[in-house]
Amino acid sequence: MLSVTETAALLALLSEDRTLDGAIREFGQEFESHNHFNVCCNLVMLLEDKRILKQTQRLVAFYILHNVYCREQLCANPFLSVLIDAASDDTTGNVERAFVLQLLGSTNSNNNKKEEGRVTGREDEMIHLPAITKRNPFIMERGGDSSSERLRAHICGSVHRDPDL
């Protein structure tokens, strides 16, 4: 669990008066790396009830969950299932779904490039979200539902799973 001070800092990170890159930089400054997983678990709890955070705060939270582990393979991100579930949830708004799909797609297409002096190596991509009406390979035409199985297969397709597990 987070302390009262840490909780206040986390909620301040989600404020609407900063950029996504500013939020991730401040996250790294505010929380020590050994505590990132714990803080991200608290973000997941805040995201579970869609009434707790405003839409913009939810987008910042998803961005943090994605970017804290962006230097590793996407399949190694312990919060990948949260991101995929958000992109697959038909009760989630189109803006949120498109944003999370953009996060997942940018990581997959860039193969987790590391660039010196940059937080994620993909800041400029995050500014230009795809139009909601553009065809996305993970959104089915009939209801606009994202298929979590298709997303998982696409993102982690190169990961070989032991059939005995």
Side-chain angles (χ1 to χ4, degrees), residues 80-143:
L80 177 62
S81 64
V82 174
L83 296 169
I84 289 175
D85 288 346
S88 304
D89 185 357
D90 60 353
T91 65
T92 301
N94 284 338
V95 170
E96 192 171 300
R97 290 173 65 193
F99 182 79
V100 174
L101 284 167
Q102 177 70 23
L103 288 174
L104 295 170
S106 68
T107 302
N108 200 39
S109 67
N110 284 315
N111 202 15
N112 295 327
K113 292 180 184 176
K114 293 182 184 179
E115 296 183 28
E116 292 297 320
R118 299 182 78 182
V119 176
T120 67
R122 294 181 298 280
E123 292 92 350
D124 52 305
E125 281 186 28
M126 297 313 304
I127 295 169
H128 307 290
L129 293 177
I132 301 299
T133 57
K134 279 188 177 178
R135 188 174 179 96
N136 187 304
F138 304 110
I139 297 179
M140 294 186 267
E141 289 179 18
R142 58 184 152 86

